[in-house]
Structures are given as structure tokens and as C-alpha cells.
Amino acid sequence: MSTPTIVMDGIVFGESMRWHEGRLWFSDWGANQVVVLDADGGHTVVATVPSFPMCIDFLPDGRLLVVDSARGRVLRREADGTLVEHADLAGVSRRPWNEIVVDGQGSAYVNTIGFDFPDGEFAPGLVVRVTPDGVVTTVADGLAFPNGMAISDDGTELIVAESYANRLTAYRIAADGGLRDRRSWAETPGDHPDGICIDAEGAVWYADVGNRRCVRVREGGEVLAVVGLDRGAFSCTLSRGPDPRLYVVGQSWGGPASARPTGQIVAFPAPAPGAGRP
């Protein structure tokens, strides 16, 4: 695919990209900020949370949810910009909490990787469901570093990137919000999928840090497209509507530390717009 367009530079550690109400949102974990890109090419910091990780998604009414991993909770941004506690996660696990995706009824699925990355001994992670009134229930476990998550366009399926298992794993979302019928949605041999998003043709894009790329796959694992970066790809999202774009945030990872932030958002033309959630 074509050479990417640079959208934003100078990000400390970008993650958790979202397309919401026609604008691109992301978390800068290194700067402890939630950032939205403006139509004129500028950007606005809409929340500051001293946490790493710090992932985001939106309730159906548009309010922002933020995973504050450092304090084991989900925060909610009210209309006046204040942050309030939406749910307490610490009672389930004090290991790092990671990605979040919200369904059409306002329930949030949040995962924890299950161990202290990168130095802790590996342990499997899990997914919890947070109801709109903040009740937390474990709905899946035994995941090998759960990472990006997405809900299908019809709302019936949750897909989780298992970074340490080299696969995308799917669950049927039951009427009660529980996760059932776990299966491999796509094997990703040699890749460690991180952030993911679904497109309008039912394919999934996943970001891969080590291989510095994003890959588009259909269910079963057939690779449909690959876009390369000059740094690790951590998260991706798709615009909606005509002239779709795939947005990817990446940064240098695993090499000598840089004196300047290496995070960058780039955009590629995409074969199909975004669908489902986030």
C-alpha cells in the first residue's frame, strides 16, 4: 500500500486510538494525556491521568471512559470535563489493566494482562465486564497477554488480541453480557497482535510492534493487506464514511533510548471504513 501521511509527531508513547464523532482520539501514556486531533490539524488535551497504561473508549451518550491502571479503576469524563470513578477494578486484580471496548448498551469490557510486564513472571490475563452502573464481573480468563479488543458490527462477538499466543480470539456475547464459545478467530504466526479494529467488510486490522506493521486479516487467518512502518506499530483505527483512512500510532521500541519522543501517528488509504466498536 502507499506511503503513509504523517498526521502528528512528538508523541511520547501513543496507544489506544479511537475514531469518535469524526475525529481521531488517542492516549499518550508517556505524557499521561488523552488527546483529540482537531480538524485544522491541531490537537487538544481533554484529560490528564497519571497512569501507564491508560486506555480509552466512549459510552453511547458520548462520555469518555479512561482505564486508570495505576489505581485499578475506570474513570468517566463528565460533560463539564471532570473525571469521576466509574468502576473499581482493583478488587479483581492489581496487575496492569489494559484495553477497553464499550458495547451499544454501555457495558465496558476491560482486560488485564495478568502479570507485571515486562519483568514479572508470566501469568494469564482475563476480561471483565463493567455494567453501566459500575458492577464488575469476570467474563473470560486464561488469555495470553490480552491486548486490543473490538466488538463486531452486529454486537454479537468480541475479538481479543492475544499477543503472547500469536492469535485473535473470539467470543460470542451472550444476552446477559457474558462471553461464551471461545474460539480462534485468526492465527497470526510470527506476529504479536496489539491494538485492533474491525472494518465494514468484517476484516480485522492488527498492529504489530516487533514487526513494525499493521496487517489486515479475515476470519481464518488469510492476510488481505500489510502496511509497514519505520517504528513499532502499537494501535490502529479506521475512519468512518467515504475515503477511509487507517490511522496507526507507533514509536521506537526495544532499542537505545531516544532523547526526543519517537511517537508518531500516520495514515494510510484503507480498502474499507471502520465498523463495530470501538
Side-chain angles (χ1 to χ4, degrees), residues 137-217:
T137 306
T138 299
V139 289
D141 57 16
L143 291 155
F145 201 131
N147 222 319
M149 296 191 294
I151 295 174
S152 61
D153 200 38
D154 63 5
T156 64
E157 191 168 71
L158 176 76
I159 299 174
V160 184
E162 283 194 85
S163 295
Y164 277 16
N166 312 101
R167 67 175 170 238
L168 304 177
T169 296
Y171 297 88
R172 177 178 60 84
I173 301 176
D176 63 0
L179 301 181
R180 308 282 190 270
D181 304 332
R182 174 176 176 167
R183 73 181 195 280
S184 173
W185 193 89
E187 300 296 319
T188 64
D191 286 355
H192 302 278
D194 195 327
I196 66 171
C197 58
I198 297 175
D199 71 21
E201 295 178 356
V204 169
W205 284 95
Y206 66 81
D208 184 297
V209 177
N211 291 311
R212 298 184 173 189
R213 64 184 190 171
C214 276
V215 180
R216 183 178 185 238
V217 293

Side-chain angles (χ1 to χ4, degrees), residues 7 34 250 254 257:
V7 177
V34 178

Side-chain angles (χ1 to χ4, degrees), residues 7-8 37-43:
V7 177
M8 183 175 176
L37 301 191
D38 303 320
D40 61 3
H43 66 276

Side-chain angles (χ1 to χ4, degrees), residues 7 17-26 35-38 236-239 247-248 265-266:
V7 177
M17 302 188 75
R18 302 289 186 259
W19 186 262
H20 177 66
E21 295 183 343
R23 296 194 294 174
L24 185 65
W25 299 61
F26 70 97
V35 182
V36 58
L37 301 191
D38 303 320
C236 56
T237 194
L238 288 156
S239 63
Y247 293 93
V248 186
I265 295 174
V266 297

Side-chain angles (χ1 to χ4, degrees), residues 30-217:
N32 303 133
Q33 297 173 341
V34 178
V35 182
V36 58
L37 301 191
D38 303 320
D40 61 3
H43 66 276
T44 303
V45 176
V46 297
T48 300
V49 180
S51 182
F52 190 113
M54 180 187 59
C55 293
I56 61 171
D57 203 14
F58 299 87
L59 291 167
D61 64 9
R63 286 178 295 173
L64 175 73
L65 295 185
V66 182
V67 176
D68 177 5
S69 181
R71 298 185 64 179
R73 59 183 182 166
V74 178
L75 301 175
R76 185 180 68 246
R77 185 177 184 267
E78 301 290 58
D80 62 1
T82 58
L83 293 171
V84 300
E85 184 169 294
H86 185 72
D88 177 19
L89 304 173
V92 175
S93 175
R94 295 190 177 274
R95 302 305 183 190
W97 290 90
N98 195 18
E99 277 282 9
I100 180 172
V101 61
V102 182
D103 69 15
Q105 292 70 51
S107 290
Y109 294 88
V110 189
N111 63 42
T112 172
I113 65 174
F115 66 103
D116 293 322
F117 177 83
D119 298 322
E121 182 180 353
F122 170 78
L126 54 84
V127 180
V128 299
R129 175 177 179 257
V130 179
T131 64
D133 56 356
V135 176
V136 180
T137 306
T138 299
V139 289
D141 57 16
L143 291 155
F145 201 131
N147 222 319
M149 296 191 294
I151 295 174
S152 61
D153 200 38
D154 63 5
T156 64
E157 191 168 71
L158 176 76
I159 299 174
V160 184
E162 283 194 85
S163 295
Y164 277 16
N166 312 101
R167 67 175 170 238
L168 304 177
T169 296
Y171 297 88
R172 177 178 60 84
I173 301 176
D176 63 0
L179 301 181
R180 308 282 190 270
D181 304 332
R182 174 176 176 167
R183 73 181 195 280
S184 173
W185 193 89
E187 300 296 319
T188 64
D191 286 355
H192 302 278
D194 195 327
I196 66 171
C197 58
I198 297 175
D199 71 21
E201 295 178 356
V204 169
W205 284 95
Y206 66 81
D208 184 297
V209 177
N211 291 311
R212 298 184 173 189
R213 64 184 190 171
C214 276
V215 180
R216 183 178 185 238
V217 293

